[in-house]
């Protein structure tokens, strides 16, 4: 599931890169995205495909709204002090998790896939939806890439990333850039979640694993470097399967977390990031 | 009255009040208070690293859980006596903190937070992975016979309270002595300005490592005591939540104050206890308290008090 | 006279910029040595190399005959090289007493209280022990910084622009203070205020573009044509 992982991780990396904020609640944005997707598909009287499409639009928007609110109400008031924001996003994590538990419950619930057919290759069958997820994730990633490198908004974001004060001096509304970045990061996580819910069910604790994985991806790719993050996401997503063939899943996770810690200790610029 | 006498007097007075509470409190609250005192020791340890030295760790659950398992496993598997088991808990807490510190202290700030988080997570997963030895997710019960210390059955109310109080009193007095000692002054100097402290001849790495080890000993002692007094050892105590709780207590009571961790633990414990009477949304309370504290009262109750009216408070 | 500090061929590049470029330097026992030069001449980088805040790329530093080129900064402080910061860098949230005590206890002083009192006396700040350093006036903060340097009882005290921002009345007192420190302590004084340097220093080293332009007594430096061209002339024209 490297593709979905990459989507989540890019959101986290974007937020860290531009704002220098480690968003511990990022996994909860992912979870909320999945939960919203369930509500949308369950209550909208559309056929599955249409309902799912609606979810793909509504869930990221809803999460982006939550993220923007969190940014203006909390993070901005902390002046984006790195350590205080981590504590605050931990608080946010608990609040979102509890909100999901209260309003959604502790069950895992499935979302019907927009379409079901299998691609029957001569040697094995493959779920068409999974292929579609990979494709969709790739499209979204490319879109983000184009957005960051080709559009004016992307330029503004990158300028803010390089130097906040100068950007402000040039009349860039840093507050709005930050809120927008945080919202975009959340929306990417939510989009990833909507893509994944037809395969994995929506559950209020589902934010935990992707958060850890995203951390791993972002750190190995170099904090804040988007290209490194993409490469790392693909490598880890693919190797995840390979590692778990040799080791039990728990042992694989232990090794992965320790590796991440070591990378941070000995190569703080990440394995692929050339610049600090 | 000199300042030193005033400070020691206040802290001894608090200890006397807490001690006397057992004679008026009903059994339910007495058990709670014992629990709070042990948690406060954990939080004091966290405070030594975070409040005084400025090391914001997200991995203290590792040292706390180390206390549980280093106490519980030898009793379970090797039939150790309670006293050596408790000492093992405290020492393993410190050792593990030292080992983590040797690596994690090469980083600072946000990286330090993530590295400690990752180590604690790896520790938690290891407990699950070695489930034949550790009981995995379900944990294990500490045998009733192994909970008798010096003829006192720690599973009963009064001895349990006394044991918790003894640990709490020791921890608090040692903490008070430490932060008023020259070493305590250097720890604060590290928090305030590391580069300046280096140019006064202090090795930042060494000072921070010492602080982290002391902090780990506190966490280990608290973990071992908790397991012993309440008779259960489980992997939940290694989850990230137990890294967040002491931070919450310290932030609420006041980072960098000796009494803050106890005050924070006391208030937070009863806040959750009371709200859980109305709603089961206690995670929300924890989350909201965290956000509220960093937003509106980053110095906590005693920190604000010290700023306004009592600058002598250690 | 014996050299306390002797540096040879000291070099430090930042990217392509040669901040300090092959500097030879002798600091003699008991002197007040001025270090001057135009902005960007490499003065602060040079003393950062001496104090160990910035690692040396090539060259060597000897302290009383011991090689300290690769000694970490905190050990150099213990070995007797104290550095007071250009930007006032006291601990604002600690008391004056704690600030100085941190310096005094660093070298294992027997009676910290007495030594703190002594250091504060010498800079004329007795009685301010309990004040928070952050609430002091700017002049007092600079003096506190010097008191912290004194409490380290160093053999070499490096003062990085100590009179910057002081009122003229305060400067007179400051000069008397510095004179009272030698010859027990050797002073390396980085200073922009020419009157202070010319008045205090026994010898002066002039840096320009990371290299030593001239070394000599204040009189020799004043007369030196090269120095006048590179530095004093410009300075006088501007000021």
């Amino acid at each position: 599931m490297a593709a979905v992982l990459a989507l989540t991780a890019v959101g986290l990396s974007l937020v860290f890169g531009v704002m220098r904020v480690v968003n511990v609640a990022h996994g909860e944005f992912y979870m909320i995205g999945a939960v919203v997707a369930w509500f949308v598909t369950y209550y909208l009287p559309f056929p599955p495909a249409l309902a799912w499409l609606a979810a793909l639009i509504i869930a990221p928007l809803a999460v982006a709204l939550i993220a923007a609110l969190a940014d203006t109400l909390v993070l901005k008031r902390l002046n984006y002090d790195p350590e205080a924001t981590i504590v605050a996003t931990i608080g946010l994590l608990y609040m979102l998790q509890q909100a999901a538990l209260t309003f959604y419950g502790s069950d895992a619930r499935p979302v019907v896939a927009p379409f079901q057919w299998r691609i029957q290759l001569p040697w094995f069958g493959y779920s068409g939806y999974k292929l579609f997820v990979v494709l969709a994730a790739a499209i979204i990633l490319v879109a983000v890439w184009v957005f960051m490198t080709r559009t004016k908004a992307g330029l503004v974001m990158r300028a803010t990333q390089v130097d906040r004060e100068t950007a402000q001096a040039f009349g860039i509304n840093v507050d709005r850039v930050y809120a927008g970045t945080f919202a975009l990061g959340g929306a990417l996580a939510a989009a990833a979640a909507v893509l994944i819910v037809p395969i994995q069910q929506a559950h209020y604790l589902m934010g935990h694993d992707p958060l850890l994985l995203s951390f791993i991806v972002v750190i190995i790719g170099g904090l804040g470097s988007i290209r490194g993050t993409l490469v790392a996401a693909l490598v880890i997503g693919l190797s995840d399967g390979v590692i778990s063939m040799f080791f039990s899943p728990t042992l694989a996770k232990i090794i992965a977390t320790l590796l991440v810690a070591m990378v941070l200790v000995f190569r703080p610029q990440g394995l692929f990031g050339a610049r600090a | 009255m000199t300042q030193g006498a005033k400070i020691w007097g206040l802290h001894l007075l608090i200890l006397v009040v807490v001690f006397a509470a057992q004679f008026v409190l009903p059994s339910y609250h007495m058990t709670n208070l014992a629990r709070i005192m042990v948690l406060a020791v954990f939080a004091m340890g966290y405070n030594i690293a975070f409040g005084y030295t400025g090391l914001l760790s997200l991995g203290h659950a590792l040292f706390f859980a180390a206390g549980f398992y280093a106490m519980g496993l030898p009793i379970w598997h090797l039939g150790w006596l309670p006293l050596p088991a408790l000492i093992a808990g405290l020492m393993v807490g410190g050792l593990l903190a030292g080992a983590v510190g040797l690596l994690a202290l090469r980083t600072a700030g946000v990286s330090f937070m993530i590295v400690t988080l990752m180590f604690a997570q790896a520790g938690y997963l290891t407990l699950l992975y070695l489930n034949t030895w550790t009981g995995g997710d379900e944990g294990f019960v500490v045998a009733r016979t192994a909970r008798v210390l010096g003829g006192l059955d720690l599973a009963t109310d009064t001895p349990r309270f006394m044991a918790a109080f003894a640990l709490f009193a020791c921890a608090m007095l040692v903490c008070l002595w430490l932060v008023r000692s020259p070493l305590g002054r250097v720890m604060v100097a590290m928090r305030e300005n590391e580069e300046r402290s280096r140019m006064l001849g202090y090795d930042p790495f060494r000072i921070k490592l010492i602080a982290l080890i002391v902090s780990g000993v506190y966490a280990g002692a608290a973990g071992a005591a908790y397991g012993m007094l309440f008779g259960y050892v489980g992997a939940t105590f290694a989850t990230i939540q137990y890294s967040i709780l002491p931070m919450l207590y310290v932030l609420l009571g006041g980072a960098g104050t000796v009494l803050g961790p106890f005050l924070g633990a006391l208030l937070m414990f009863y806040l959750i206890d009371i709200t859980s009477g109305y709603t089961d949304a206690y995670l929300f309370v924890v989350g909201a308290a965290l956000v509220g504290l960093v937003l509106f009262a980053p110095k906590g109750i005693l920190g604000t008090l010290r700023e306004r009216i009592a600058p002598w408070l250690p | 006279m014996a050299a306390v500090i002797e540096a040879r061929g000291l070099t430090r590049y930042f990217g392509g910029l040669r901040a300090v470029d092959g500097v030879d330097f002798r600091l003699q026992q008991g002197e007040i040595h001025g270090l001057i030069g135009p902005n960007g001449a490499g003065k602060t980088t040079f003393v950062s190399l001496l104090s160990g805040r910035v690692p040396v790329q090539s060259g060597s530093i000897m302290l009383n005959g011991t090689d300290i080129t690769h000694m970490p900064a905190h050990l150099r402080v213990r070995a007797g090289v104290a550095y007071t910061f250009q930007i006032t860098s006291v601990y604002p949230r600690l008391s004056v007493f704690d600030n100085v005590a941190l310096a005094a206890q660093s070298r294992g002083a027997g009676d910290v209280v007495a030594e703190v009192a002594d250091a504060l006396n010498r800079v004329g700040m007795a009685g301010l022990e309990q004040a928070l350093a952050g609430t002091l006036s700017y002049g007092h903060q600079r003096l506190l910084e010097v008191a912290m340097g004194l409490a380290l009882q160093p053999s070499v005290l490096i003062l990085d622009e100590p009179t910057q921002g002081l009122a003229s009345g305060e400067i007179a007192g400051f000069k008397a203070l510095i004179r009272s420190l030698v010859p027990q302590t050797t002073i390396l004084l980085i200073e922009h205020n020419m009157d202070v340097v010319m008045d205090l220093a026994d010898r002066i080293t002039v840096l320009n573009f990371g290299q030593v332009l001239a070394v000599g007594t204040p009189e020799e430096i004043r007369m030196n044509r090269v120095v006048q061209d590179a530095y004093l002339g410009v300075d006088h024209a501007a000021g």
Side-chain angles (χ1 to χ4, degrees), chain A residues 22 83 86 91 98 248 254 265, chain B residues 106 109-110 113 125 129 281 283 287:
Chain A
V22 175
E83 297 185 346
I86 292 196
Q98 184 67 54
S248 79
I254 295 175
V265 169
Chain B
R106 292 158 169 271
V110 171
M113 296 169 86
L125 292 170
Y129 182 67
L283 277 180

Side-chain angles (χ1 to χ4, degrees), chain B residues 5-293:
Chain B
K6 188 158 75 174
I7 290 167
W8 284 100
L10 172 73
H11 289 79
L12 287 174
L13 182 71
I14 301 272
L15 284 179
V16 170
V17 170
V18 173
F19 182 79
Q22 63 172 313
F23 302 115
V24 289
L25 288 180
S27 166
Y28 171 71
H29 290 290
M30 213 166 128
T31 315
N32 277 354
L33 192 55
R35 219 179 275 270
I36 289 167
M37 284 192 286
V38 177
L39 287 173
V41 172
F42 182 25
M44 277 184 219
Y46 189 82
N47 194 25
I48 288 173
F50 164 57
Y52 287 99
T53 321
L55 297 169
L56 190 41
S57 146
L58 291 181
H60 263 59
L62 181 64
F63 316 138
F64 190 50
F68 275 89
Y69 284 89
M71 179 278 300
L73 289 180
I75 289 180
W76 185 22
H77 295 292
L78 307 170
W80 279 25
L81 292 171
L83 191 63
L86 283 172
I87 292 171
L90 161 165
M91 282 177 54
V92 172
L95 279 175
L96 213 53
V100 167
L102 279 177
L103 289 167
L105 285 173
R106 292 158 169 271
T107 64
V110 171
S111 296
F112 181 78
M113 296 169 86
I114 299 179
V115 169
T116 48
L117 177 71
M118 289 295 167
F119 275 122
Q121 188 65 20
Y124 168 65
L125 292 170
T126 306
L127 288 177
L128 297 187
Y129 182 67
L130 302 173
N131 58 0
T132 45
W133 280 83
T134 62
D137 232 351
E138 291 171 9
F140 57 92
V141 171
V142 180
R144 189 75 192 259
T145 49
R147 293 170 64 198
V148 179
L149 192 64
L152 294 169
D153 183 357
L154 296 178
T156 54
D157 275 351
T158 304
R160 174 157 59 201
F161 185 91
M162 295 306 284
F165 178 78
L167 175 72
F168 174 66
C170 283
M172 182 151 107
L173 295 177
V174 168
C175 177
L176 182 59
W177 167 79
L178 174 72
V179 302
R180 287 170 54 77
S181 73
L183 175 61
R185 193 183 285 138
V186 181
M187 280 162 36
V188 172
M190 250 355 126
R191 176 190 77 195
E192 294 290 314
N193 188 339
E194 191 173 317
E195 179 60 13
R196 186 67 182 101
S197 310
R198 196 156 69 94
M199 295 316 290
L200 287 177
Y202 300 104
D203 181 358
F205 187 81
R206 195 169 140 257
I207 299 292
K208 291 195 282 188
L209 188 62
I210 291 173
L212 199 60
I213 290 174
V214 174
S215 181
V217 167
Y218 267 69
Y226 201 105
M228 174 73 66
L229 297 180
F230 301 99
Y232 169 70
V233 173
T236 40
F237 297 110
T239 54
I240 166 136
Q241 207 175 325
Y242 278 87
S243 293
I244 304 298
L245 276 180
M247 174 163 75
L248 186 58
Y249 298 156
V250 169
L251 279 174
L252 177 62
T257 63
V258 174
L259 292 170
F262 175 64
L263 183 65
L266 184 71
L267 292 177
M268 205 62 219
F269 191 92
Y270 274 100
L271 182 66
I272 291 175
D273 195 58
I274 292 165
T275 49
S276 62
Y278 303 100
T279 160
D280 56 359
Y282 101 93
L283 277 180
F284 198 85
V285 177
V286 172
L290 273 177
V291 173
L293 278 171

